[in-house]
Coordinates of all heavy atoms in Angstrom, one line a residue:
V1456 N -33.9 -25.7 -3.5 CA -33.2 -24.7 -2.7 C -31.7 -24.8 -2.7 O -31.0 -23.9 -2.8 CB -33.8 -24.7 -1.2 CG1 -33.0 -23.7 -0.3 CG2 -35.2 -24.3 -1.2
F1457 N -31.3 -26.1 -2.5 CA -29.8 -26.3 -2.5 C -29.2 -26.1 -3.9 O -28.1 -25.7 -4.0 CB -29.5 -27.7 -2.0 CG -29.5 -27.8 -0.5 CD1 -30.7 -28.0 0.2 CD2 -28.3 -27.7 0.2 CE1 -30.7 -28.1 1.6 CE2 -28.3 -27.8 1.5 CZ -29.5 -28.0 2.2
V1458 N -30.0 -26.4 -5.0 CA -29.5 -26.1 -6.3 C -29.3 -24.6 -6.4 O -28.2 -24.1 -7.0 CB -30.5 -26.5 -7.4 CG1 -30.2 -26.0 -8.8 CG2 -30.5 -28.1 -7.4
G1459 N -30.2 -23.8 -5.9 CA -30.0 -22.3 -5.9 C -28.8 -21.9 -5.1 O -28.0 -21.0 -5.5
M1460 N -28.6 -22.5 -4.0 CA -27.4 -22.2 -3.1 C -26.1 -22.5 -3.8 O -25.1 -21.7 -3.8 CB -27.5 -22.9 -1.8 CG -28.7 -22.4 -0.9 SD -29.0 -23.5 0.5 CE -27.4 -23.4 1.4
V1461 N -26.1 -23.7 -4.5 CA -24.8 -24.1 -5.2 C -24.6 -23.1 -6.3 O -23.4 -22.7 -6.6 CB -25.0 -25.5 -5.7 CG1 -23.8 -25.9 -6.6 CG2 -25.0 -26.5 -4.5
T1462 N -25.7 -22.7 -7.0 CA -25.5 -21.8 -8.2 C -25.0 -20.5 -7.7 O -24.1 -19.9 -8.3 CB -26.8 -21.6 -8.9 OG1 -27.3 -22.9 -9.3 CG2 -26.7 -20.7 -10.1
I1463 N -25.5 -20.0 -6.6 CA -25.1 -18.7 -6.0 C -23.6 -18.8 -5.6 O -22.8 -17.9 -5.9 CB -25.9 -18.3 -4.8 CG1 -27.4 -18.0 -5.3 CG2 -25.4 -17.1 -4.1 CD1 -28.4 -17.9 -4.1
G1464 N -23.2 -19.9 -5.0 CA -21.8 -20.0 -4.6 C -20.9 -20.1 -5.8 O -19.8 -19.4 -5.8
L1465 N -21.2 -20.8 -6.9 CA -20.4 -20.9 -8.0 C -20.3 -19.5 -8.7 O -19.2 -19.1 -9.2 CB -20.9 -21.9 -9.0 CG -20.8 -23.4 -8.6 CD1 -21.5 -24.3 -9.6 CD2 -19.4 -23.8 -8.4
L1466 N -21.4 -18.8 -8.9 CA -21.4 -17.5 -9.5 C -20.5 -16.5 -8.7 O -19.8 -15.7 -9.3 CB -22.8 -17.0 -9.7 CG -23.7 -17.7 -10.7 CD1 -25.1 -17.1 -10.6 CD2 -23.1 -17.6 -12.1
G1467 N -20.7 -16.5 -7.4 CA -19.9 -15.7 -6.5 C -18.4 -16.0 -6.7 O -17.6 -15.0 -6.7
W1468 N -18.1 -17.3 -6.7 CA -16.7 -17.6 -6.8 C -16.1 -17.2 -8.2 O -15.0 -16.7 -8.2 CB -16.5 -19.1 -6.6 CG -15.2 -19.7 -6.9 CD1 -14.0 -19.5 -6.2 CD2 -14.7 -20.4 -8.0 NE1 -12.9 -20.1 -6.7 CE2 -13.3 -20.7 -7.9 CE3 -15.4 -21.0 -9.1 CZ2 -12.6 -21.4 -8.8 CZ3 -14.7 -21.7 -10.1 CH2 -13.3 -21.9 -9.9
L1469 N -16.8 -17.4 -9.2 CA -16.3 -17.0 -10.6 C -16.1 -15.5 -10.7 O -15.1 -15.1 -11.2 CB -17.3 -17.5 -11.6 CG -17.4 -19.0 -11.9 CD1 -18.5 -19.4 -12.9 CD2 -16.0 -19.5 -12.4
T1470 N -17.1 -14.7 -10.2 CA -17.0 -13.3 -10.3 C -15.8 -12.7 -9.4 O -15.1 -11.9 -9.8 CB -18.3 -12.6 -10.0 OG1 -18.8 -13.1 -8.7 CG2 -19.3 -12.9 -11.0
S1471 N -15.7 -13.2 -8.2 CA -14.7 -12.7 -7.3 C -13.3 -13.2 -7.8 O -12.3 -12.4 -7.8 CB -14.9 -13.3 -5.9 OG -14.8 -14.7 -5.9
T1472 N -13.2 -14.4 -8.4 CA -11.9 -14.8 -9.0 C -11.6 -13.9 -10.2 O -10.4 -13.6 -10.4 CB -12.0 -16.3 -9.4 OG1 -12.3 -17.1 -8.3 CG2 -10.7 -16.7 -10.0

Side-chain angles (χ1 to χ4, degrees):
V1456 172
F1457 277 85
V1458 169
M1460 294 170 60
V1461 171
T1462 303
I1463 294 166
L1465 290 175
L1466 291 176
W1468 173 70
L1469 288 174
T1470 51
S1471 61
T1472 301

